[in-house]
Amino acid sequence: MSGATFDIAASDTTLEGKAPAGPLAEKWSKHKFDLKLVNPANKRRYRVIVVGSGLAGAAAASSLAELGYNVDCFCFQDSPRRAHSIAAQGGINAAKNYQNDGDSIYRLFYDTIKGGDFRAREANVHRLAECSVDIIDHCTALGVPFAREYGGQLANRSFGGAQVSRTFYARGQTGQQLLLGAYSSLSRMIEAGRVKMHARTEMLDVVLVSGHAKGIVTRDLVSGEIKSWAADAVVLATGGYGNVFYLSTNAQGCNVTATYRAYKRGAAFANPCFTQIHPTCIPVHGDQQSKLTLMSESLRNDGRIWVPKAKSETRAPGQIPEADRDYYLERRYPSFGNLVPRDIASRAAKAVCDEGRGVGPGGLGVYLDFAKAISEKGKRDIEGKYGNLFDMYAKITAEDPYTTPMRIYPAVHYTMGGLWVDYNLMSNVPGLFVLGEANFSDHGANRLGASALMQGLSDGYFVIPYTIGGYLAGEKPGKATIEDAAFGDVVATVKSRTHKLLSIQGRKSPRQFHKALGQIMWERCGMARNAAGLVKAVDDIRALRAEFWENVKVLGEGNSINTSLEMAGRVADFLEFGEMMCIDAWHRNESCGGHFREEFQTEEGEAKRDDDTFAYVAAWMYRGDGKVPSLAKETLAFENVKLSQRSYK
Amino acid sequence: MSSQKSMNLTLQVWRQKSKRDAGGFTTYQAKGISPDQSFLEMLDVVNEELIAKGEDPIAFDHDCREGICGMCSLYINGAPHGGFPGTTTCQLHMRHFKDGDEITIEPWRAKPFPVLKDLIVDRTSFDRLVQAGGYVSVNTGGAPDANAVPIPKKEADLAMDAASCIGCGACVAACPNASAMLFVSAKISQLRHLPQGEAERKKRALNMLTRADKEGFGACRNHFECEAACPKDIPRRVMAEAYRDFIEASALREE
Ligand SMILES: Cc1cc2nc3c(=O)[nH]c(=O)nc-3n(C[C@H](O)[C@H](O)[C@H](O)COP(=O)(O)OP(=O)(O)OC[C@H]3O[C@@H](n4cnc5c(N)ncnc54)[C@H](O)[C@@H]3O)c2cc1C
Ligand code: FES
């Protein structure tokens, strides 16, 4: 093991979660009552900036506008309807207990806390479970065509980490339908003149006035214009940073820029190393590949995962008799079987491939087999549930999953880490709220399937409309204007950075740097990590970053559409952010959820937590470029659940 | 996995600096393309080479690269998304081409979708069609229990078929009149098959179709090129449904 260490200073910022006192189930109702209100006539005097139009952003922007606030909403795509949320396939959880199978708000709360390996804040998670119920009602009212049973009632399926059926879905396009629902409300508010939508506009910085977030600076991706926007509060709903790994299931544009720039202005970044590697994705096919495609977790309802028992196996999957197959999840985890949480399923896949029993090119794959389900339930049933996923698989691989088992392998999918927020979803910078995947709040060290859509919509529809009032009620409207000196300063910084990127004129494209970073991150900060590897990763990232600022080649001008310039800016932020992720992973001397440190595992190879030392949120504070950030800790108090070793056996 | 070897292709690509520029075709060579690459990954390779040579890379829209966000476009060899059934450009794999092929790549061509640069067009007119009424007017909070009104599976399925639209604009690009009838009707159809959409059914059709006129989309003359071009197989029956609502609404308005 390398002797190198990072000198981590304790931050002098204290982070207060502000979870209200009182019994768990009453906290949110009580808090809503206690929050100060902005009276209806006054709301239109306030302006709120919402960056992002995914589930979290679109839900927030439309709901705030319905309440009477003026909203400016931003996204980098050509339309708010294209936010990455659109790609979610499998479903959304809600504690409706329509199946009468013993679900409840408390059970959803408990499953989420346990699934997150006891690294999330209890009060937030309970509120999430409470709001889940309203989400389904509201989305249905908006005309979201959820799947139905023949009697006309809503249908459910099961997802990993739960023994009840609580996942609502719209074929394999749940995210699309939920997003289009939120987009329709947003469109209604745009028509009403209460939301101004700014598409193809990228936020490049936050502006603080007297310590409060009062605006942003953006670049118009068509004209290149750098512009200031002032408001009474800023909401970031800018999604996750999985693309730090280059290859992930995320859309191409997903980035860390908005949250990272906010971090550089003083917002704490929590648990950046908590990333989710999804067990069922289509394996990598070549080095020109630009993204990985998820095969929804819902497939594990009917698909069985296996590899050959023998390393030397050469037969086609259909030729391998039952006796020579290892259904390793069913074997190792008899009570949850194929439906164990994602982190466990991913590590198990890696383990069998490391043993040399993987299938397909390079031995990096396992089978996901539907033969049994098709023979028991019929092809039509399977087609009805997963038809579009099967089609997508066939298009990409040119193989027919109805007759040949799918080959799948884990891939980077979701990031639990994000900007630190309190119970009100406000960061430590007053007036800066963070929603959806961009915050760290509800999923601890591992997110359960179908819970991100739930969180994004809960944050946007049901939490921020209340909590933002609590902040605004204490603020005089229109305090900041873009004439304030603070805006001019930030604009100057943004302009000089853009200019710098265009003037280097080196020899390597932004994509080459991104790929190189991705490789470092995947190898050393991916499914398994160790201290020496992480130290090495930081060295490599620093060298790569230095090279970037000497040798990146961005052609063209700043005053028109310039896709290389956009990419370069995002990669530059990833190159700093990746280092912080590795430091976070290095400092957390335990394994929990998606964070697996090889030094800390049980004899059976399961993650070994250290609750005495690490039952806290690690929130990193910026101290200057190239400096190791300082660490603020929010201790997690568990008043309702007992911390235990997760067991899915 | 395909066993084909890598291939070399000749591309005729539409290059246009800005909205005002006239634009024209430029020829490029795409070398060493693997059949497992997607069409956009092939363009990535070409762009990397252009950057290395100091030439402006080809600008095109894309994001999810899995056929759901509707951001990618491209007229490939005279057909939107290349004309393969149920396939968006980002999901089109190079195994459908062979070594030595010549491929023509153009942007969507329709008046309501002006070219911004190269292969990127402005589709904000689609957003404005939805703003005209593609929603159920309900505020957040206070919705009844989702199971309070049963919806027959058949109706829910019909709604879902229409709701699959990804808003890419292939239908408009394919239509000789640049009509947005399929796009608008998909939304109208989705909501008319659900009880939640009933209250605003007629008004919605009237407002959305009137807005389509205003935005410069042409009238539907039943060519059905849109249906053939749609990567999500939105069926033509949605247009008949929307038309019915529109007629009812217009009749009411005249009374
Ligand atoms: C393939 C896939 C399948 C999934 N399936 C499921 C599922 O079945 N169930 C589930 O619960 N979860 C699922 N997830 C996770 C879930 O989809 C996401 O976590 C969630 O949708 C994120 O929503 P969001 O609103 O936080 O962010 P996003 O939807 O990512 O939206 C981010 C928004 O921010 C904007 N933005 C970002 N940066 C900037 C900037 N600098 N300036 C301006 N705008 C910016 C973007 O334009 C966009 O509008 C899936 C994820 C993937 C990748
Ligand atoms: S890039 Fe999203 S549909 Fe093609």
Side-chain angles (χ1 to χ4, degrees):
Chain A
M1 201 172 127
S2 156
T5 55
F6 301 106
D7 201 4
I8 293 171
S11 164
D12 45 21
T13 307
T14 3
L15 298 175
E16 277 175 59
K18 299 216 179 96
L24 186 63
E26 289 162 28
K27 284 180 198 281
W28 179 229
S29 312
K30 182 168 172 303
H31 189 66
K32 279 195 283 189
F33 182 76
D34 290 342
L35 278 167
K36 277 188 264 170
L37 297 175
V38 177
N39 92 43
N42 264 346
K43 287 200 177 85
R44 62 192 156 73
R45 298 173 58 217
Y46 289 93
R47 180 163 290 281
V48 179
I49 284 173
V50 177
V51 188
S53 64
L55 287 179
S62 58
S63 303
L64 292 174
E66 285 162 12
L67 286 172
Y69 296 109
N70 297 296
V71 178
D72 279 298
C73 183
F74 298 81
C75 72
F76 64 74
Q77 292 92 346
D78 69 333
S79 161
R81 67 179 288 152
R82 308 207 200 280
H84 169 59
S85 293
I86 200 109
Q89 301 170 348
I92 177 167
N93 288 331
K96 280 287 197 184
N97 194 29
Y98 284 159
Q99 305 305 326
N100 197 28
D101 58 358
D103 201 7
S104 63
I105 286 171
Y106 192 83
R107 189 179 294 282
L108 175 53
F109 154 76
Y110 182 78
D111 286 349
T112 308
I113 285 277
K114 175 183 168 198
D117 219 356
F118 306 94
R119 289 293 175 264
R121 202 186 281 143
E122 276 188 346
N124 284 56
V125 176
H126 196 275
R127 173 177 65 191
L128 175 64
E130 287 174 56
C131 293
S132 72
V133 175
D134 302 330
I135 293 171
I136 302 304
D137 297 341
H138 181 56
C139 293
T140 301
L142 286 176
V144 170
F146 284 120
R148 300 264 165 181
E149 304 291 357
Y150 284 100
Q153 308 297 303
L154 288 156
N156 288 120
R157 52 170 57 142
S158 305
F159 256 57
Q163 285 173 314
V164 293
S165 225
R166 61 160 78 98
T167 306
F168 294 79
Y169 62 100
R171 294 200 188 137
Q173 292 126 277
T174 315
Q176 179 196 30
Q177 294 311 314
L178 294 173
L179 183 64
L180 293 181
Y183 163 78
S184 75
S185 297
L186 183 65
S187 299
R188 184 167 73 101
M189 287 297 107
I190 295 171
E191 185 77 1
R194 297 234 280 280
V195 176
K196 284 218 171 57
M197 186 69 219
H198 312 276
R200 289 201 201 267
T201 308
E202 181 162 27
M203 170 200 148
L204 293 180
D205 221 327
V206 200
V207 182
L208 271 56
V209 178
S210 314
H212 287 234
K214 290 293 173 197
I216 61 171
V217 170
T218 59
R219 178 168 179 273
D220 181 320
L221 299 181
V222 179
S223 71
E225 189 190 0
I226 310 274
K227 210 172 156 182
S228 295
W229 306 85
D232 298 292
V234 175
V235 177
L236 298 185
T238 49
Y241 50 83
N243 278 349
V244 68
F245 291 90
Y246 184 66
L247 285 182
S248 81
T249 62
N250 287 192
Q252 299 289 292
C254 294
N255 65 85
V256 77
T257 291
T259 48
Y260 191 72
R261 303 283 171 97
Y263 156 79
K264 287 181 99 168
R265 298 269 168 210
F269 209 111
N271 301 333
C273 82
F274 287 172
T275 48
Q276 176 162 83
I277 316 272
H278 195 293
T280 55
C281 302
I282 302 180
V284 177
H285 61 63
D287 58 358
Q288 298 298 352
Q289 194 161 352
S290 57
K291 82 157 291 166
L292 296 170
T293 303
L294 174 76
M295 287 286 105
S296 167
E297 173 161 322
S298 59
L299 293 169
R300 290 198 268 146
N301 271 286
D302 287 297
R304 299 177 71 202
I305 295 181
W306 63 277
V307 288
K309 279 190 180 154
K311 284 185 202 174
S312 51
E313 186 59 74
T314 53
R315 288 171 286 184
Q319 254 71 74
I320 303 175
E322 286 293 320
D324 293 342
R325 300 176 176 195
D326 179 13
Y327 294 90
Y328 57 88
L329 288 178
E330 296 171 23
R331 173 172 57 78
R332 285 177 62 181
Y333 306 99
S335 68
F336 280 70
N338 291 294
L339 285 173
V340 290
R342 292 175 175 177
D343 53 335
I344 292 178
S346 290
R347 273 200 294 281
K350 181 177 188 296
V352 294
C353 293
D354 288 351
E355 285 167 27
R357 295 194 288 141
V359 299
L364 292 177
V366 301
Y367 291 125
L368 177 61
D369 196 337
F370 294 88
K372 183 155 180 261
I374 290 173
S375 80
E376 280 171 7
K377 299 182 182 171
K379 187 177 166 190
R380 263 191 64 192
D381 179 84
I382 298 300
E383 198 174 345
K385 284 191 205 145
Y386 316 112
N388 69 323
L389 298 172
F390 277 44
D391 291 349
M392 182 149 58
Y393 182 87
K395 272 200 193 106
I396 293 172
T397 62
E399 290 176 356
D400 175 15
Y402 291 102
T403 54
T404 314
M406 287 184 179
R407 278 177 302 103
I408 51 152
Y409 196 68
V412 173
H413 178 61
Y414 180 88
T415 52
M416 281 76 69
L419 289 181
W420 181 89
V421 287
D422 65 14
Y423 188 70
N424 294 317
L425 303 184
M426 188 163 88
S427 71
N428 56 311
V429 174
L432 182 70
F433 292 82
V434 192
L435 318 184
E437 193 172 340
N439 74 23
F440 88 104
S441 74
D442 296 351
H443 308 293
N446 173 59
R447 174 175 71 78
L448 291 183
S451 287
L453 301 181
M454 168 172 76
Q455 184 223 333
L457 289 180
S458 169
D459 288 0
Y461 283 137
F462 297 109
V463 180
I464 192 74
Y466 293 92
T467 59
I468 207 167
Y471 169 75
L472 291 173
E475 289 287 295
K476 226 174 88 213
K479 254 186 10 198
T481 73
I482 57 169
E483 267 68 54
D484 292 343
F487 282 88
D489 294 347
V490 177
V491 165
T493 323
V494 168
K495 280 190 175 159
S496 85
R497 186 183 158 95
T498 307
H499 179 74
K500 175 91 204 275
L501 287 170
L502 286 164
S503 63
I504 297 169
Q505 293 297 330
R507 284 189 313 275
K508 277 196 191 171
S509 69
R511 189 182 290 277
Q512 283 174 286
F513 284 100
H514 196 179
K515 264 190 191 176
L517 174 66
Q519 226 148 37
I520 300 172
M521 296 303 293
W522 178 244
E523 263 161 37
R524 309 211 178 263
C525 199
M527 260 190 289
R529 305 151 172 193
N530 62 59
L534 290 161
V535 171
K536 171 92 173 67
V538 170
D539 282 347
D540 292 350
I541 293 169
R542 286 178 181 165
L544 189 66
R545 190 165 68 228
E547 192 198 344
F548 176 90
W549 286 106
E550 297 278 306
N551 200 21
V552 73
K553 185 172 188 174
V554 184
L555 299 168
E557 316 276 325
N559 61 2
S560 63
I561 295 183
N562 187 337
T563 45
S564 310
L565 177 62
E566 292 164 29
M567 192 184 219
R570 293 170 192 161
V571 173
D573 289 329
F574 279 139
L575 280 167
E576 292 180 23
F577 177 72
E579 174 176 332
M580 176 159 69
M581 271 176 76
C582 292
I583 293 175
D584 184 40
W586 173 87
H587 114 283
R588 192 170 276 278
N589 283 321
E590 65 162 351
S591 293
C592 58
H595 169 63
F596 190 72
R597 280 281 301 271
E598 287 164 343
E599 307 94 314
F600 308 100
Q601 51 182 308
T602 64
E603 272 169 23
E604 292 149 314
E606 305 291 349
K608 202 160 126 194
R609 287 198 327 264
D610 176 357
D611 293 329
D612 293 339
T613 323
F614 288 103
Y616 64 76
V617 178
W620 299 91
M621 308 288 299
Y622 180 68
R623 290 201 309 139
D625 283 339
K627 290 203 178 129
V628 172
S630 60
L631 177 62
K633 296 177 184 176
E634 181 200 338
T635 304
L636 292 168
F638 291 92
E639 293 165 357
N640 296 277
V641 301
K642 215 173 107 262
L643 275 71
S644 59
Q645 185 70 40
R646 272 190 318 173
S647 170
Y648 292 93
K649 305 215 178 247
Chain B
M1 290 277 139
S2 152
S3 55
Q4 252 178 291
K5 292 228 177 56
S6 74
M7 52 190 142
N8 297 327
L9 307 155
T10 303
L11 311 180
Q12 303 289 350
V13 183
W14 184 262
R15 302 301 308 260
Q16 182 175 336
K17 278 206 163 63
S18 68
K19 223 177 197 171
R20 281 171 298 277
D21 181 39
F25 285 101
T26 309
T27 310
Y28 299 100
Q29 303 300 325
K31 287 184 224 120
I33 302 301
S34 138
D36 290 327
Q37 265 170 265
S38 71
F39 199 84
L40 297 183
E41 286 167 351
M42 181 274 291
L43 286 180
D44 289 343
V45 171
V46 174
N47 273 344
E48 286 297 294
E49 279 177 22
L50 287 178
I51 294 175
K53 284 195 281 187
E55 290 177 40
D56 196 22
I58 303 160
F60 58 89
D61 265 331
H62 65 107
D63 200 25
C64 73
R65 295 204 175 187
E66 50 185 67
I68 193 76
C69 75
M71 184 116 177
C72 65
S73 51
L74 307 191
Y75 233 75
I76 302 168
N77 287 339
H81 297 296
F84 296 86
T87 305
T88 55
T89 294
C90 60
Q91 291 227 290
L92 174 58
H93 281 75
M94 296 311 292
R95 65 180 75 93
H96 296 289
F97 298 87
K98 54 182 196 309
D99 190 41
D101 274 0
E102 183 169 309
I103 307 175
T104 309
I105 309 172
E106 296 169 82
W108 285 168
R109 301 216 188 260
K111 218 173 63 206
F113 294 162
V115 174
L116 295 174
K117 182 178 179 182
D118 298 342
L119 304 170
I120 295 182
V121 300
D122 179 352
R123 282 171 290 195
T124 46
S125 48
F126 260 16
D127 289 320
R128 291 189 292 274
L129 297 184
V130 177
Q131 286 155 24
Y135 36 75
V136 177
S137 299
V138 52
N139 285 354
T140 307
D145 186 273
N147 258 348
V149 184
I151 302 176
K153 183 173 183 326
K154 198 172 146 238
E155 290 299 307
D157 284 346
L158 287 170
M160 184 62 213
D161 289 340
S164 310
C165 168
I166 59 174
C168 63
C171 47
V172 175
C175 176
N177 302 323
S179 167
M181 192 65 188
L182 191 68
F183 171 75
V184 170
S185 304
K187 188 47 70 182
I188 293 171
S189 169
Q190 173 199 340
L191 295 176
R192 87 196 292 280
H193 283 285
L194 301 170
Q196 290 80 7
E198 182 56 27
E200 295 166 291
R201 177 169 61 86
K202 293 175 207 162
K203 190 174 97 185
R204 178 178 306 117
L206 184 65
N207 289 348
M208 289 183 83
L209 288 167
T210 310
R211 180 72 57 90
D213 257 0
K214 229 179 90 193
E215 289 287 341
F217 291 98
C220 170
R221 297 267 182 266
N222 302 329
H223 290 281
F224 301 123
E225 295 289 341
C226 52
E227 187 188 43
C230 177
K232 296 291 140 181
D233 302 325
I234 306 291
R236 66 175 75 173
R237 59 113 179 133
V238 299
M239 298 195 282
E241 293 170 353
Y243 199 59
R244 202 172 307 149
D245 290 346
F246 177 76
I247 298 285
E248 271 185 59
S250 312
L252 283 181
R253 196 167 57 165
E254 272 152 29
E255 272 165 18

